[in-house]
Amino acid sequence: MSVPFFQITEGFTRALPLLEEGLAEFHRQSGWVNDQQVRAFEQAIATYTGAPHAIATGNATDSLIICLMALGIGPGDEVIVPCYSFFASVSCILQVGATPVFVDIEPGSYAIDCSLIEACITRRTRAIMPVHLFRQMAEMDALMDIACRHGLKVVEDSAEGIGMRWNDRHAGLIGDLGVLSFFPTKTLGALGDAGMVLTRDADLARRVRQILDNGRDASGLAQCLGYNSRMDDLQALWLRARLPELDQEIERRAALRDAYDLHLGPLGEYLQVPVTLPRAARQRCVDYVYLIEAQNRDGLVEHLAARGVGVEAYYPLPLHLQPVCAGPTHAEGRFPVAERAATRALGLPLYADLSASDVASVCQAITEFYAAAGAQS
Amino acid sequence: MIKYQDFQRRYPNAQTQILEILAARVQQGDFILKQQVQDFEQALAAKVGARHAVCVSSATSGLTLSLIASGIGPGDEVITPAFCYVSAASSIVQAGATPIFVDVAPHSGVLEAEAVVRALTPRTRAVLVAHLFSGLADIDALREALPEDVLILEDSATAFGARLRGRHAGTLGDIGVYSFFAAKPLGGIGDGGAVITDDDQVAGALRMLRNHGQDGRRRFYHQRLGYNSRMDETNAAWLQARLRENDLHLARKQAIAKAYDEAIEASDGVLLGQHRGTPDFSPHAYVVRSAERERLARHLTARGIQTRVHFPVPLPEQPAFVQWSAGPAHYPNARLLGKQCLALPLCSGMSDGQVSRVIEALKEFSHAEVI
Ligand SMILES: Cc1ncc(COP(=O)(O)O)c(C=O)c1O
Ligand SMILES: Cc1ncc(COP(=O)(O)O)c(C=O)c1O
């Protein structure tokens, strides 16, 4: 048995007709970076998400940095961020010279615990950065209320959030700025790195466009400091060829989650399957990662690896304990929910083309692992 | 119409080639910084004769990461040309260092040792020296003139394939950077770049910096404040093929440039060419200087010939960088070149007929001027 953590062979075959059409156009174009295919994809994402401005970038890590730069956040400023996320959620803050202020997460949604935010606000706080991880968005009503009362900006790290909605508003469009990642394993994945910034604000959108193109305006003059973080037309045309299937694939992912839940339900003593926290808002969740919390997680990883099952420990080390963030206020024990999750969380294979029998064999292997463990104890 | 860049002519089989590459990557399930990138890095390092090639997401990013990997940052000065692409300035500021703009030589458009030496201070840590258009800066003369501990960062973004006294551009200084932006001499299918160095430590630091400060062994363990500056496998696979055929394309472009040279020589000084500094040049752009550039551009456009203007405004005069300007009087050559330079179509896919049409149009322009 072998179930890779991710694969896209069947999706590729299905996208082939649109891909070939796009490639023919691409070949006739005079530019291959941040050009016609990218404009067309931005349009398509604007339509899908309802974003007034969808701006393509090289990747979501850069998108986050660019968002903070566009807001003028820098040295001396503090940004509130959950301590449980991918590294980019904190590195963007450090990259612009600002100070991250960590907050623990809620169990279950893995999103920032909004009840802890206000205690962290100081005179220097400029922004809050919620992160929407795995499946469910942060409690955005509570968060926006706090931001509003304290005059703070909100940058959503919605890198994993395509398709997620909050009261019918797409992730990334609730705060001032949001991002999307098209890293290959994402719900909508490129065949390389690609990202986006979403915003409702025309002026921020204009600044974002300059920053990602080395600070240049339409005439080529550098108006501000920037990066080279443009999307490749090749990635854009592939992503556009994949977009029409996205909603179907999201449904397929939900069905696979149900299948996992069913198989893993009896193992409640050893592991916890994903839960959905109730919210007052209407939420549309998207199963980007099927994340379990497992006893003896690292033993399970080894067991599964030996059977050819690809898994990812998301995330094994919380942000406040990363070597680059080391500091006296970031000692172990400060953020118990995140620290516990870091030792237990495990992402199982989940993608539209995973078969029901793949799910069954992954669960079989997990069941075997705990049966053996149970027999030993 | 003779396009300034014509990918259809440059890569007649691109569609099939790209589709094959994509299908192979999808089959393999690898997309970023995997075997194809490693293979390309090895082939590239071997081609130019360097210990390390480290692929990154662009030359702009490669320049920034090179400075950071060399420990250059706040409080440090980096000398850079006033006439160049934006990244010659932005990369320095991104690293937290201070750009010190120096004017270029009018006949070549690049930095010369004498002017650089005059800008040295005790805080100078590096010189970012860029090769431009079809010309090479004399890195050997610069090395000779500079204190040993001043790093030479060779912006070879557009100079891949050129050689100075037998050695490849990009390997002449301490660290070299190539761009694989599609229009560049070694052109990718998207943005991409590589950093070239013989220094194991710098190469090691670059490998961590480009991938979120991870060491490549332990995932999600971030030891340095890194970036996402990676090369896609698709691009690396494409670039391996382009690298294999590069010599052929280079020869063709040199032949076109030499044909243009004759038209420039025949113009009786109405048009000026670029001093290239080496016979082993790699023509990224063929730039002519004319006191009446706008009229020349219109003349060529009317004949279906696309042209391009590079760097019309000196870097220290652009809003993002004025705070580091020593004052407009310091950059007369950058301003002059910005007003006079015009790049002609130059791509390996151009037919002989197209080349002749450009030459005819140039001759027509200069004869009208002389009469
Ligand atoms: C929460 C989160 N933020 C940021 C990123 C960075 O995205 P990218 O890989 O496109 O730079 C990712 C993806 O890895 C992510 O999951
Ligand atoms: C001289 C020079 N340096 C650097 C760059 C930046 O290269 P990239 O587009 O790969 O960031 C360019 C690109 O035009 C250039 O001309």
Side-chain angles (χ1 to χ4, degrees), chain A residues 93-142:
Chain A
I93 299 168
L94 297 169
Q95 287 290 4
V96 300
T99 306
V101 174
F102 293 115
V103 173
D104 208 350
I105 53 167
E106 301 172 310
S109 73
Y110 302 94
I112 189 164
D113 184 339
C114 291
S115 71
L116 303 174
I117 292 178
E118 280 193 285
C120 298
I121 295 175
T122 72
R123 276 181 303 110
R124 294 162 173 251
T125 309
R126 287 284 314 281
I128 311 175
M129 185 183 289
V131 187
H132 311 307
L133 289 179
F134 311 132
R135 157 169 170 72
Q136 182 175 17
M137 289 173 66
E139 173 43 274
M140 289 306 286
D141 287 345

Side-chain angles (χ1 to χ4, degrees), chain A residues 228 230, chain B residues 58-60 84-85 87 131-132 155 157-158 179 181 184 191-192 311:
Chain A
N228 179 354
R230 304 173 292 198
Chain B
S58 70
T60 299
C84 198
Y85 183 67
S87 51
H131 307 302
L132 277 195
D155 179 351
T158 63
S179 169
F181 180 73
K184 296 295 195 288
D191 264 323
F311 322 137

Side-chain angles (χ1 to χ4, degrees), chain A residues 20 24 27 30 32-33 59 61 87 95 191-193 214 216 222-223 226-228 230 232 235 312 322-324, chain B residues 7 11 15 19 58 60 85 90 94 181 190-191 212 219-220 222 224-228 230 232 318-320:
Chain A
E20 286 184 315
H27 193 213
S30 53
W32 285 2
V33 173
N59 58 69
T61 301
F87 182 62
Q95 287 290 4
L191 301 175
D193 271 313
N214 258 316
R216 297 188 296 170
Q223 294 289 350
Y227 287 90
N228 179 354
R230 304 173 292 198
D232 294 343
Q235 300 301 346
E312 273 301 356
Q322 291 289 346
V324 279
Chain B
F7 292 128
Y11 306 121
Q15 261 170 277
L19 204 53
S58 70
T60 299
Y85 183 67
S90 65
Q94 283 292 5
F181 180 73
D191 264 323
H212 295 292
R219 227 159 116 68
F220 302 126
H222 305 276
R224 290 192 67 150
L225 180 54
Y227 293 75
N228 179 350
R230 308 178 289 214
D232 295 341
Q318 302 196 19

Side-chain angles (χ1 to χ4, degrees), chain A residues 184-242:
Chain A
T185 61
K186 292 287 188 276
T187 309
L188 178 63
L191 301 175
D193 271 313
M196 206 163 257
V197 172
L198 305 178
T199 183
R200 291 173 284 133
D201 184 313
D203 191 50
L204 286 174
R206 185 184 52 77
R207 263 184 275 176
V208 165
R209 277 204 194 280
Q210 281 182 8
I211 296 169
L212 70 89
D213 190 18
N214 258 316
R216 297 188 296 170
D217 62 17
S219 76
L221 208 63
Q223 294 289 350
C224 61
L225 185 60
Y227 287 90
N228 179 354
S229 180
R230 304 173 292 198
M231 189 186 286
D232 294 343
D233 280 64
L234 182 63
Q235 300 301 346
L237 76 89
W238 159 258
L239 287 165
R240 195 157 57 98
R242 290 279 294 149

Side-chain angles (χ1 to χ4, degrees), chain A residues 340-365:
Chain A
R340 180 177 150 87
T343 61
R344 295 168 50 91
L346 188 66
L348 303 181
L350 185 70
Y351 37 92
D353 297 332
L354 193 70
S355 70
S357 68
D358 285 337
V359 171
S361 9
V362 172
C363 295
Q364 178 63 32

